[in-house]
Amino acid sequence: IKPHFWNAPPRLGAHLGLSTPPGATMVVGGKQLEWEEGKAVIFDDTYIHSVTHRGTEPRYLLILWFCHPCDNVHAEVPADYSEGLCP
């Protein structure tokens, strides 16, 4: 998957490895990672990220999206926290 990012509204991504054969990697903000079965990777979808799969077997992930904590419109901010969650 070519480098891309999401910016409207900002969100966090979670990838849970279901079947993670060797050869698949993701680069997020310049840092390379590999999925592991039964483990989740959480990343900020507003950073540029890409996926490379050089393996021969399919990779299966459960993908979830969450409100970004800096998103004061969609994320729930405590009423007594007047400054918001991010600068």
Side-chain angles (χ1 to χ4, degrees):
I1 300 173
K2 294 180 181 181
H4 63 284
F5 66 97
W6 183 263
N7 66 351
R11 64 186 183 182
L12 297 177
H15 290 186
L16 175 63
L18 302 177
S19 176
T20 58
T25 58
M26 182 165 73
V27 175
V28 179
K31 183 177 179 180
Q32 183 172 306
L33 61 95
E34 294 182 12
W35 295 273
E36 295 181 44
E37 289 181 20
K39 293 189 177 182
V41 172
I42 311 293
F43 66 98
D44 186 332
D45 202 26
T46 63
Y47 283 76
I48 294 175
H49 54 282
S50 61
V51 173
T52 303
H53 193 335
R54 299 190 195 305
T56 58
E57 299 175 51
R59 164 186 61 96
Y60 295 100
L61 305 171
L62 175 64
I63 299 176
L64 305 161
W65 302 110
F66 298 95
C67 291
H68 194 287
C70 291
D71 181 0
N72 292 328
V73 174
H74 298 92
E76 192 170 315
V77 178
D80 62 342
Y81 199 81
S82 61
E83 296 179 25
L85 295 174
C86 298

